[in-house]
Amino acid sequence: MNHKKAIIFLAVVWIAIIGGFVAMKEYTIQTGEEVLLKTIPVDPRDLFRGDYVILSYEISRFESDILLDFEPGDKVYVKLDTSGYYAQIASIHSEPPEGLYIAGTLKHAFGDNAMGVEYGIESYFIPENKGYIIERAQRNSENDVAVTVAVGNSGKSVIKELLINGEEVSFDEPEK
Amino acid sequence: MANKKDVEEWVREGTITQAQADKMLADTKVKKEKARTNSMVTTFSTIGAISLGIGAVLFVASNWDAMSNLLKIFILVGSTFLATFIGYYLKYVKKNLPVVGASLLFLGTLLFGATLFLVTQMYHINANNSTIVLVWLLGILPLIYGFKSRPIAALSIVLFLVWIGLVVEHQSDLFGMVVDVAYLPLLYLMSGMLLFGIGTVHYFSDSLKEIARMYRLAGLRLVAFVAFLFTFDWFIPSGGGDVSTYFTFFFLTVAVAALLLVVVGLFFNPAKSKTIVLESGFTIGLLGLGLLNFFFPISDGVYQILYNLVFVALIVALYYVGFHREDITVVNLAMGWTAIYFFARYFDFFYDLLDRSIFFIVGGLIFVMGGIALEYKRRDIKKDFIHHPQS
């Protein structure tokens, strides 16, 4: 491969990778159905991407006895009931069910005879040193922290926004 | 480049005339000056590229909310392509600033990684995701093979090792198997051999020899480092629970890939090097020990003895290969590990047995004398290698 061909090939690969990432996520956001999930966040730090909050959802934990046929690492498809304010689990499947469902990977969870599911929407990246805004909201038990998620046809999900009491979280306020 | 002493000797012997000698020495002076300038330019532009790349990653990590995501992605994608194409232009089209061009190409690979992190941050893709690092690694491969860039090959090695760590960390979390993490050094031992094997098969192509050597040396350094850790009992995996199925599968995949590459290297290496049988035999033996340790972990000190023997054998093998191939880097590696190993065992075995003052006096004398001997030996080897540079 000469250098000219190599640089053209490289440009095509990079555009495909970056464009592919954006296109896949945008497709889910634009075409997916919007659901509201209740969450309990805590905030650590990613080496390359900075501060984020770990999101643990109500739909992330199950009693292990309803998952007898599953092993950690298995794909699970969780059918969602969106009749209430927050989306809830309607049923759990090993194959994609009819209707609106979200896909995840079964994860071992410590204690309480529980199992967990990882949906790939467990991190919410926030501006540096602004985690206190979410922490402060959490300290007040009357506050509702939730996430709007776009769920695509294949069960893939993308976070759209983090909400505190129904309002999109704003990081503009000065630190106190 | 001609050595002044040699040239004077050749003039005395009558092999060359004084005029030829003057010309040789003048040419050597110019070449040395050029090499020095080149090395300074390389140092400055590489440090510059690394600083800019780190700056870009930190910029992404700060998640500065005064700028919209769209603007950030526009700036980062633009910088990535701009750095890469200017680098390409300077090095291969205009050819007037090849060193700076190479550094800009390297910067392009760092900015490509920063762009990936920005995109995945924008869409809140889970933190510490190993796939992003793998995609970054795959994305820079065309530059390694298209432009034979050594700094980018070095980056690929770092990304490969980070990717392995992140895979294990995530899977350990997913399966609730903290034991997996205890087996990570053993996985890195296998990965070192895989890197060595990858380097060996790259030798099949003449144009990839420099890259091949980088991979092999990186593999060798990793193997030596982990093998050294395993000479201490507390780093050796010794059971304590089952590892996850995923880890077992991942571990075996790395081990089998390393084995296949070693076998391919042994039978199809066009260089037909005399040391290849020793290298391959040693690698296969160490792969076998690693697998034995993985499937039959015990904590009665047997593996510690075996790893100590393996480490000593590795040092001896490095000396043999280094001398045989007249490769000063390998000899230096062997010498460095000899000193570290000697120091470590010295404290292990004798610290509690001897009176401390005698211990330090005798030990200090041994080290000083050892240092003198090593210095002399190293100088001899270096002198020898200057006349016969390794291939």
Side-chain angles (χ1 to χ4, degrees), chain B residues 45 49 52 79-80 82-88 90 98-111:
Chain B
S45 23
L52 285 167
S79 318
T80 303
L82 203 64
T84 308
F85 285 109
I86 292 176
Y88 166 75
L90 294 179
V99 181
V100 175
S103 298
L104 286 176
L105 281 171
F106 180 59
L107 174 63
T109 59
L110 296 177
L111 292 175

Side-chain angles (χ1 to χ4, degrees), chain A residues 3-4 7 14 17 25-26 46 48-50 52 72 107-108 118 120 122-128 130 171, chain B residues 61-63 65 80 84-85 88 92 117 120-121 123-128 135 139 146-147 170 173-176:
Chain A
H3 295 134
K4 196 174 178 183
I7 198 79
W14 282 7
I17 289 174
K25 296 297 167 187
E26 275 303 322
D46 178 276
F48 298 110
R49 289 184 285 167
Y52 67 100
K107 181 181 169 180
H108 175 272
E118 190 179 272
E122 284 74 19
S123 300
Y124 186 87
F125 289 87
I126 54 175
E128 193 173 26
K130 297 284 177 78
F171 296 102
Chain B
S62 75
N63 201 352
D65 53 347
T80 303
T84 308
F85 285 109
Y88 166 75
Y92 297 105
F117 289 122
T120 52
Q121 184 194 63
Y123 293 104
H124 304 287
I125 292 172
N126 274 1
N128 301 319
V135 171
F147 302 113
H170 179 242
D173 180 46
L174 194 67
F175 292 95

Side-chain angles (χ1 to χ4, degrees), chain B residues 287-351:
Chain B
L287 277 169
L289 178 61
L291 286 168
L292 199 67
N293 187 182
F294 182 76
F295 287 109
F296 305 102
I298 44 173
S299 55
D300 62 357
V302 173
Y303 284 117
Q304 190 190 5
I305 295 167
L306 287 174
Y307 281 119
N308 270 280
L309 291 173
V310 162
F311 192 76
V312 172
L314 176 67
I315 290 174
V316 173
L318 285 177
Y319 277 119
Y320 175 78
V321 173
F323 280 109
H324 193 85
R325 302 181 67 167
E326 296 186 346
D327 189 336
I328 196 160
T329 309
V330 177
V331 174
N332 279 341
L333 192 67
M335 283 182 173
W337 280 114
T338 306
I340 293 169
Y341 183 72
F342 183 47
F343 196 74
R345 290 298 80 85
Y346 175 75
F347 274 91
D348 264 8
F349 293 120
F350 301 115
Y351 194 80

Side-chain angles (χ1 to χ4, degrees), chain B residues 197-220:
Chain B
I198 290 171
T200 304
V201 293
H202 277 70
Y203 265 121
F204 292 5
S205 160
D206 273 347
S207 64
L208 294 173
K209 275 190 172 160
E210 290 233 337
I211 306 291
R213 183 170 162 77
M214 279 200 74
Y215 283 134
R216 274 164 63 92
L217 281 175
L220 206 52

Side-chain angles (χ1 to χ4, degrees), chain B residues 8 22 56 80 86 91 109-110 148 181 195 234 257 261 297 302 355 363 378:
Chain B
E8 284 167 357
D22 292 343
T80 303
I86 292 176
K91 188 170 164 67
T109 59
L110 296 177
K148 322 290 181 293
V181 179
L195 266 178
W234 58 87
L261 291 179
V302 173
D355 176 80
R378 187 210 287 263

